[in-house]
Amino acid sequence: MSNTVKNLVLIGYGGMGTRHLQRLQSVKEINVKGVYDIKRVKREEAKRAGYRVYSTFENVLLDKDVDIILIATPNDSHKDIAIEALKNDKHVICEKPVTLSVSDFEEVLKVAKKYNKCFMVDQNRRWDENFNMIKKIYNNHAIGDVYEIRNYVQGSRGIPKDWRQLKEKGGGMVYDWCVHLLDRILWLNNDVKLESLYANLSYSLGHNVDDGFEVTLLFENGLKVLLGVGTSNFIKLPEWYMVGSTGTMEIEDFDLNGKYVTLEGELTKDTVPIEAGAGFTKTMAPRNDGSTQEHELPKVNVDVRDFYRNFVNWIDGKEEPIVKNSEVMRTMKVINEIFKSSDNNEVIKF
Amino acid sequence: MSNTVKNLVLIGYGGMGTRHLQRLQSVKEINVKGVYDIKRVKREEAKRAGYRVYSTFENVLLDKDVDIILIATPNDSHKDIAIEALKNDKHVICEKPVTLSVSDFEEVLKVAKKYNKCFMVDQNRRWDENFNMIKKIYNNHAIGDVYEIRNYVQGSRGIPKDWRQLKEKGGGMVYDWCVHLLDRILWLNNDVKLESLYANLSYSLGHNVDDGFEVTLLFENGLKVLLGVGTSNFIKLPEWYMVGSTGTMEIEDFDLNGKYVTLEGELTKDTVPIEAGAGFTKTMAPRNDGSTQEHELPKVNVDVRDFYRNFVNWIDGKEEPIVKNSEVMRTMKVINEIFKSSDNNEVIKF
């Protein structure tokens, strides 16, 4: 039995909103019924692009044909829009970060439960190809048991000159990016206890929101994870770097340059010291003796449009949600501790 | 007035010891008078290599012609050899780490003072070319004010199968490498207060000494430094990575592959969002508009043999020591806090 096509209205015709609309063009389970934006200029832009435009948010809520409201507005407005939508019998897809506090998110979930509606957060970067390559190797142990993951996303253009520079709007890089990086790592380790974190936020660009951060997570199974973002980095660190007991994996960037290398033989055999800089070293001597093997990055098959399809299937009772609200809640709580750790320069233990 | 050539005897004919002898061949201020090693097989090896070999350590001490004793033995034996040498009127060059405790080092310094002898620790990696390139750019502000330095040294051969695997001998990577990395960073910031550190030691190879570590240092001037060592990394992170207010510098390795890139213009101007992975991003959009400039690594002129020459000049009262014992003491004290931070998983504040 096939699903009924669901009607969706986008709230917030900005960068992320228009991107959703592009993607939804090829999601046959969803029909984009219209658009609303609080700004008249944006509404006019949407009209010119051929969308049906609602003149008020209330009109969206009153439209009985609307099944799903997709919220892609600045972070501080998600909560109120979501609650209104849910109360008016709409399912809701919400941009990340879902809200700016745990209690706000709890309120939203209470309303969703009361009105028996589906509410899902767009953690779209779970569908990044490079993350899925890391996930595959992490789970199939192709480099042994993994004990270290580094995930750094760096730009060199500062923070965009919009609400992202404003604290009260939920700006800053922790809300913008850590929410992605943390969500994925916690998802990858759903069953593993997070033991501690240490975070350090950067304010080097002089805004009152963080322009970058670094977080060290220690998990109960011995895994150490470093997550970092920078916005004035003119040379980038590798985006992904993962070390296991028998190999190392690196993915440089979104363009999927990278490889993984495995040890074929014994770790400490036949080491010959080398001259290196002003010293010599046995420990840091290279392996050029055929005792390692280089592999291409694994193939993965991911399609971010599965996010929308999964949402529709959840509404229709055919699938569990991929992005569970309990997972988003866990991430939100850890985000709070990240701010606390950095503010107090202390390790947070869970 | 030229110096008298000083006679030196090496104690410990191992890897580092023989490397000292090679270097001393072209240091005209020092004459290698002989060698002693506690192991007969090593003494025979030294004899075959053409060195005069002492049959006991006492014979070295009794030889009035010996001016300098160079200690290149396992870490736990430095203290006793140093004290005996100083008491017998010898100047001493000692391998790093100088001792395994602050109080041991204090004892050594007390004896050096009492007998009015020069005692200097071989912090040879202050002469690494890549470090000196970083130092030059750090000090001349070619990438603006630096707020982040990362220095990672990684090998893939485990810990060498000798005393370096033994805790009681002062094995492990903190003593072997952190002593270098920390010494340099503290030297670079001699006048800057270290505010805090957070350290995480790795024991993934199953020895009872650490096989790697990661340390985050926060300085009073806003500088964040990450130091790391790994011994089973089959792909290496860049050895040096430095971020300043107007540029970024990277040196990949000891072979000096690297560059620095500076911003020529405004940070946040004309940003166009890009598709990246399963999302799109304005913040992480690349700069391909000629608004940055790439530079070759700066030229530096360093010669590790200046270490020995400086020592002789110090003896002769012509120069201050480059490696000051107060600096080594500072490093030792911080090393203690690194172990403590990792053991307790806590931030140490100074």
Side-chain angles (χ1 to χ4, degrees):
Chain A
M1 202 180 78
S2 70
N3 300 315
T4 335
V5 172
K6 304 283 185 289
N7 289 321
L8 176 147
V9 170
L10 167 71
I11 311 294
Y13 192 73
M16 199 61 215
T18 51
R19 211 57 50 136
H20 278 293
L21 297 182
Q22 274 177 28
R23 285 181 178 162
L24 285 167
Q25 284 174 4
S26 51
V27 178
K28 64 175 179 19
E29 293 83 351
I30 290 178
N31 168 53
V32 175
K33 187 146 197 269
V35 168
Y36 173 72
D37 196 292
I38 199 169
K39 289 187 183 155
R40 176 198 289 251
V41 56
K42 285 286 171 185
R43 291 199 298 272
E44 283 166 1
E45 211 178 288
K47 194 171 281 175
R48 282 197 300 278
Y51 293 103
R52 171 179 171 183
V53 173
Y54 292 82
S55 55
T56 63
F57 180 47
E58 208 184 3
N59 286 347
V60 181
L61 297 175
L62 292 172
D63 186 343
K64 294 288 171 201
D65 287 344
V66 177
D67 303 298
I68 303 170
I69 281 184
L70 195 170
I71 305 172
T73 57
N75 299 336
D76 64 326
S77 61
H78 294 170
K79 177 194 163 189
D80 290 344
I81 298 172
I83 287 177
E84 281 308 303
L86 292 164
K87 281 185 173 170
N88 284 276
D89 218 32
K90 317 298 186 200
H91 302 286
V92 172
I93 294 173
C94 186
E95 262 310 313
K96 41 57 58 181
V98 58
T99 57
L100 300 185
S101 78
V102 167
S103 61
D104 281 358
F105 186 35
E106 281 168 348
E107 266 188 73
V108 171
L109 292 182
K110 209 176 285 176
V111 178
K113 197 176 172 187
K114 182 173 172 190
Y115 291 84
N116 196 25
K117 293 288 127 189
C118 293
F119 180 88
M120 192 150 92
V121 180
D122 180 31
Q123 293 293 352
N124 59 319
R125 293 208 171 272
R126 291 191 186 184
W127 281 266
D128 273 354
E129 248 179 309
N130 60 21
F131 165 65
N132 280 277
M133 290 172 169
I134 289 287
K135 185 167 174 258
K136 187 168 185 174
I137 299 295
Y138 183 80
N139 287 328
N140 75 10
H141 301 275
I143 59 167
D145 293 331
V146 169
Y147 53 83
E148 181 181 317
I149 299 177
R150 291 168 195 267
N151 182 196
Y152 285 87
V153 177
Q154 299 176 321
S156 61
R157 292 190 166 277
I159 305 179
K161 283 182 175 167
D162 55 22
W163 57 268
R164 286 172 184 80
Q165 292 190 357
L166 303 173
K167 199 183 174 80
E168 62 277 16
K169 294 275 175 191
M173 287 300 117
V174 168
Y175 280 133
D176 198 4
W177 275 95
C178 194
V179 160
H180 285 303
L181 309 191
L182 190 59
D183 169 70
R184 297 192 295 204
I185 288 297
L186 293 177
W187 189 47
L188 196 64
N189 293 285
N190 247 334
D191 304 326
V192 187
K193 186 179 183 299
L194 176 61
E195 282 197 329
S196 71
L197 71 79
Y198 176 58
N200 182 257
L201 274 56
S202 149
Y203 296 87
S204 46
L205 301 182
H207 303 297
N208 68 354
V209 295
D210 69 288
D211 50 53
F213 60 83
E214 183 142 22
V215 183
T216 305
L217 304 166
L218 302 182
F219 287 88
E220 201 174 25
N221 60 357
L223 175 68
K224 175 173 83 171
V225 177
L226 276 99
L227 305 176
V229 158
T231 49
S232 54
N233 299 63
F234 301 93
I235 303 171
K236 294 183 184 203
L237 287 170
E239 187 168 333
W240 287 99
Y241 182 80
M242 181 162 77
V243 186
S245 49
T246 59
T248 309
M249 181 167 175
E250 180 176 275
I251 308 179
E252 286 172 40
D253 45 33
F254 284 115
D255 296 335
L256 309 178
N257 296 303
K259 63 183 174 185
Y260 67 101
V261 176
T262 51
L263 173 67
E264 312 291 321
E266 230 185 276
L267 190 67
T268 51
K269 213 178 154 196
D270 305 330
T271 309
V272 179
I274 55 152
E275 288 284 345
F280 96 113
T281 175
K282 221 169 166 176
T283 321
M284 303 304 160
R287 288 186 171 270
N288 38 19
D289 54 0
S291 63
T292 57
Q293 200 178 331
E294 200 172 309
H295 310 260
E296 282 183 16
L297 293 176
K299 297 274 173 286
V300 293
N301 189 9
V302 284
D303 181 350
V304 69
R305 293 170 303 178
D306 286 343
F307 170 81
Y308 311 102
R309 294 178 193 126
N310 172 250
F311 187 67
V312 168
N313 284 331
W314 183 29
I315 292 172
D316 288 338
K318 295 178 175 175
E319 281 181 23
E320 285 293 296
I322 292 175
V323 181
K324 295 186 174 57
N325 288 317
S326 57
E327 294 162 357
V328 176
M329 184 62 90
R330 185 188 183 194
T331 299
M332 289 283 299
K333 287 180 175 169
V334 176
I335 290 281
N336 280 350
E337 301 302 315
I338 283 173
F339 285 111
K340 196 172 140 199
S341 170
S342 180
D343 284 351
N344 301 331
N345 191 19
E346 69 182 10
V347 177
I348 306 289
K349 295 181 187 180
F350 296 98
Chain B
M1 200 181 78
S2 70
N3 299 315
T4 334
V5 171
K6 304 284 185 287
N7 288 321
L8 175 147
V9 170
L10 167 71
I11 311 294
Y13 191 74
M16 200 59 215
T18 51
R19 209 60 47 138
H20 278 293
L21 296 182
Q22 275 175 28
R23 285 179 178 164
L24 285 167
Q25 283 173 6
S26 52
V27 177
K28 66 175 180 13
E29 292 83 352
I30 290 179
N31 168 52
V32 176
K33 186 147 197 269
V35 168
Y36 172 72
D37 195 292
I38 199 170
K39 289 187 183 156
R40 177 198 289 251
V41 58
K42 284 288 173 185
R43 293 198 298 272
E44 283 165 2
E45 211 179 287
K47 194 172 281 174
R48 280 196 303 277
Y51 292 103
R52 172 181 169 180
V53 173
Y54 292 82
S55 55
T56 63
F57 179 48
E58 208 185 2
N59 286 348
V60 181
L61 297 176
L62 292 172
D63 186 342
K64 295 287 173 202
D65 288 344
V66 177
D67 303 297
I68 302 170
I69 281 183
L70 193 171
I71 304 173
T73 58
N75 299 337
D76 64 327
S77 62
H78 294 171
K79 177 194 163 189
D80 290 344
I81 298 172
I83 287 176
E84 281 308 302
L86 293 164
K87 280 185 175 170
N88 283 274
D89 219 32
K90 317 299 187 201
H91 302 288
V92 172
I93 295 172
C94 185
E95 261 310 313
K96 41 56 58 180
V98 57
T99 57
L100 300 186
S101 78
V102 166
S103 60
D104 282 358
F105 186 35
E106 281 168 347
E107 266 188 73
V108 170
L109 292 182
K110 208 176 286 177
V111 178
K113 195 175 177 190
K114 181 173 172 188
Y115 289 85
N116 196 25
K117 293 288 127 189
C118 294
F119 180 88
M120 192 149 95
V121 180
D122 179 33
Q123 293 292 353
N124 59 319
R125 293 206 172 274
R126 290 191 186 184
W127 281 265
D128 273 354
E129 248 179 306
N130 59 23
F131 165 66
N132 280 278
M133 290 171 169
I134 290 287
K135 186 168 175 257
K136 188 169 183 171
I137 300 296
Y138 183 79
N139 287 328
N140 75 10
H141 301 275
I143 59 168
D145 291 332
V146 170
Y147 53 83
E148 180 181 317
I149 299 177
R150 291 168 196 267
N151 181 198
Y152 285 87
V153 177
Q154 299 177 319
S156 61
R157 293 190 165 276
I159 305 177
K161 283 183 173 167
D162 53 22
W163 58 268
R164 284 173 186 80
Q165 292 190 355
L166 304 173
K167 198 183 175 78
E168 62 277 16
K169 293 276 175 192
M173 286 301 115
V174 169
Y175 279 133
D176 199 3
W177 275 95
C178 194
V179 160
H180 285 303
L181 309 190
L182 189 59
D183 169 70
R184 296 192 297 205
I185 288 297
L186 293 178
W187 189 47
L188 196 63
N189 294 285
N190 248 336
D191 303 326
V192 187
K193 187 178 183 300
L194 175 62
E195 282 197 328
S196 71
L197 70 80
Y198 176 58
N200 182 257
L201 275 55
S202 148
Y203 295 87
S204 46
L205 301 182
H207 303 297
N208 68 354
V209 295
D210 68 287
D211 50 54
F213 60 83
E214 182 141 20
V215 183
T216 305
L217 304 166
L218 301 182
F219 287 87
E220 202 173 25
N221 59 357
L223 175 69
K224 174 172 84 169
V225 177
L226 276 100
L227 305 175
V229 158
T231 50
S232 53
N233 299 61
F234 300 94
I235 302 171
K236 294 182 185 204
L237 288 170
E239 187 167 334
W240 287 99
Y241 182 79
M242 182 161 77
V243 187
S245 50
T246 58
T248 309
M249 180 168 176
E250 179 177 275
I251 309 179
E252 286 174 38
D253 46 32
F254 284 115
D255 296 334
L256 308 178
N257 296 303
K259 63 184 175 187
Y260 68 100
V261 176
T262 52
L263 173 67
E264 312 291 322
E266 227 186 278
L267 190 67
T268 50
K269 211 179 155 195
D270 304 331
T271 308
V272 179
I274 56 153
E275 288 283 345
F280 97 114
T281 174
K282 221 168 165 177
T283 322
M284 303 304 161
R287 285 187 173 270
N288 37 20
D289 53 359
S291 62
T292 58
Q293 198 176 333
E294 199 172 309
H295 310 260
E296 282 184 16
L297 293 176
K299 297 274 172 285
V300 292
N301 188 10
V302 283
D303 181 351
V304 68
R305 292 170 304 179
D306 286 343
F307 170 80
Y308 310 102
R309 294 178 193 126
N310 172 249
F311 187 66
V312 169
N313 283 333
W314 183 27
I315 292 173
D316 288 338
K318 295 177 177 175
E319 282 181 22
E320 285 294 297
I322 293 176
V323 180
K324 294 187 174 55
N325 288 318
S326 57
E327 293 162 357
V328 176
M329 183 65 88
R330 185 187 183 196
T331 299
M332 290 283 299
K333 286 179 176 171
V334 176
I335 290 280
N336 279 350
E337 302 302 315
I338 284 173
F339 284 112
K340 198 172 138 198
S341 170
S342 181
D343 284 352
N344 302 331
N345 191 20
E346 68 181 12
V347 177
I348 307 288
K349 295 181 185 179
F350 296 98

